[in-house]
């Protein structure tokens, strides 16, 4: 009996499970028996019938419950456009509150050879939704016989996560790429916000990274200067923000696609920059 129920309801979409009770009663349906099943090719999450995730989670986020669910976020990611493409730099530390869970997290998600996504917020959320975006981009490419634009890819991601607004997702990502219009850079988060700009930094260490970027950024920078600026900005963020650290992973988006430039331990960068600082006359 249990197996039969699991087999039946594992195919239910949250759209079916969350139908208003009034509508179910009007139709004379039993929500545990008469709700339609999904076709086998539809991609969605299975949830218990009768559960409304948004209302259920309100109790634990903003309600009067003594149990509160609050994510402790910590990371530093940045990206900026300049004359020779887009620079993407991230740290690699994953934290669970004050506990350092990992120093080797890959926070740049390689969507395809011409698109990159960054990870800030919940690691599982970012990883899942950007892999889902990779799937959608590949389907678009097969159907239309051309690569998807950066703007369209970011819009797809914003639309997907907006449908789950208020359901506990935590994601702040940058979508970077190169298409017919040249280099593109967009910020997308789980509220469905989608912004286009020439420079972004996301995460708990972003304020420190912005300080370095604002003082050193120029659209006319050389490739070497841009790469060094990205590394330096992430280093300073990891130095001041306890929730950022590990190594600086640096990517460069070119017209021919992205390349991974380097992966440098922030400890090495610390001593390197300290030596440079001592050599510089005051």
């Amino acid at each position: 009996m249990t197996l039969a129920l699991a087999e039946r309801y594992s195919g239910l979409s949250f759209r079916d499970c969350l139908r208003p009770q009034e509508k179910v009663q009007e139709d004379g349906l039993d929500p545990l028996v008469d709700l339609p099943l999904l076709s086998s090719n539809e991609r969605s999450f299975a949830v218990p019938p009768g559960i409304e995730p948004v209302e259920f989670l309100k109790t634990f986020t903003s309600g009067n419950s003594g149990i509160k669910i609050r994510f402790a976020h910590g990371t530093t990611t940045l990206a900026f456009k300049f004359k020779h493409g887009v620079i993407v730099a991230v740290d690699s530390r994953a934290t669970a509150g004050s506990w350092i869970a990992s120093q080797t997290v890959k926070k740049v998600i390689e969507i395809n050879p011409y698109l990159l996504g960054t990870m800030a917020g919940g690691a599982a959320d970012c990883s899942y939704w950007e892999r889902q975006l990779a799937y959608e981009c590949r389907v678009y490419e097969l159907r239309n016989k051309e690569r998807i634009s950066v703007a369209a890819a970011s819009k797809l991601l914003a639309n997907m996560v907006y449908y789950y607004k208020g359901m506990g997702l935590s994601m702040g990502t940058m979508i970077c790429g190169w298409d017919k219009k040249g280099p593109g850079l967009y910020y997308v988060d789980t509220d469905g916000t989608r912004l286009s700009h020439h420079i972004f930094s996301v995460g708990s260490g972003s304020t420190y990274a912005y300080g370095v970027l604002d003082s050193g950024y120029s659209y006319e920078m050389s490739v070497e200067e841009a790469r060094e600026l990205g590394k330096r900005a992430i280093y300073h963020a990891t130095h001041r923000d306890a929730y950022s650290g590990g190594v600086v992973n640096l990517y460069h988006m070119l017209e021919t696609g992205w390349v991974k430039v380097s992966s440098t331990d922030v400890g090495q960068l610390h001593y390197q920059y300290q030596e440079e600082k001592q050599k510089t006359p005051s």
Side-chain angles (χ1 to χ4, degrees), residues 4-266:
L5 284 172
E7 191 174 303
R8 178 176 177 80
Y9 291 111
S10 63
L12 280 178
S13 161
F14 76 94
R15 300 180 187 87
D16 299 323
C17 296
L18 306 185
R19 293 177 68 181
Q21 291 301 313
E22 297 81 4
K23 180 63 176 173
V24 171
Q25 292 169 3
E26 285 176 14
D27 295 342
L29 301 176
D30 179 348
L32 294 178
V33 177
D34 298 319
L35 288 176
L37 298 180
L38 286 176
S39 60
S40 59
N41 61 353
E42 185 168 345
R43 301 164 65 86
S44 60
F45 295 106
V47 297
I51 296 296
E52 219 294 5
V54 177
E55 294 303 320
F56 175 77
L57 287 170
K58 278 182 181 178
T59 308
F60 302 101
T61 54
S62 58
N64 297 321
S65 171
I67 302 172
K68 297 295 180 186
I69 300 174
R70 294 193 181 96
F71 280 109
H73 303 149
T75 189
T76 307
T77 62
L78 65 85
F80 59 85
K81 291 194 292 186
F82 73 116
K83 187 176 181 180
H84 303 286
V86 184
I87 292 293
V88 182
V90 299
D91 76 313
S92 66
R93 177 174 291 179
T95 56
S98 58
W99 180 60
I100 298 174
S102 174
Q103 288 276 68
T104 57
V105 176
K106 188 177 181 181
K107 296 185 182 179
V108 175
I109 297 172
E110 297 154 1
I111 298 170
N112 65 36
Y114 296 88
L115 276 176
L116 292 173
T118 61
M119 179 190 294
D125 292 339
C126 293
S127 180
Y128 175 83
W129 287 109
E130 291 187 32
R131 287 177 184 176
Q132 177 70 8
L133 176 62
Y135 164 84
E136 298 291 348
C137 291
R138 180 58 177 157
V139 170
Y140 177 95
E141 189 175 336
L142 292 171
R143 285 175 177 168
N144 297 279
K145 304 297 186 291
E146 65 176 2
R147 296 200 314 266
I148 193 170
S149 67
V150 185
S154 65
K155 188 64 175 176
L156 269 176
L157 182 61
N159 288 345
M160 286 191 291
V161 296
Y162 181 75
Y163 205 92
Y164 293 87
K165 185 175 181 178
M167 296 190 189
L169 297 183
S170 175
M171 186 185 78
T173 185
M174 292 170 287
I175 301 298
C176 323
W178 197 297
D179 55 27
K180 294 176 181 178
K181 295 183 178 179
L185 175 59
Y186 288 83
Y187 166 80
V188 177
D189 67 22
T190 39
D191 289 332
T193 302
R194 174 176 169 270
L195 304 170
S196 176
H197 198 44
H198 66 281
I199 184 169
F200 285 114
S201 183
V202 185
S204 57
S206 61
T207 51
Y208 307 111
Y210 269 129
V212 177
L213 291 173
D214 288 343
S215 63
Y217 174 80
S218 169
Y219 183 78
E220 300 296 330
M221 283 187 295
S222 67
V223 171
E224 291 74 18
E225 289 172 336
R227 292 175 175 178
E228 177 60 26
L229 178 62
K231 279 199 296 187
R232 187 178 291 270
I234 294 293
Y235 157 72
H236 280 287
T238 62
H239 187 60
R240 295 295 179 186
D241 176 38
Y243 301 100
S244 302
V247 299
V248 180
N249 288 315
L250 186 70
Y251 286 74
H252 188 179
M253 180 64 68
L254 300 163
E255 187 174 3
T256 53
W258 58 263
V259 293
K260 185 173 183 180
V261 178
S262 63
S263 184
T264 314
D265 191 286
V266 294

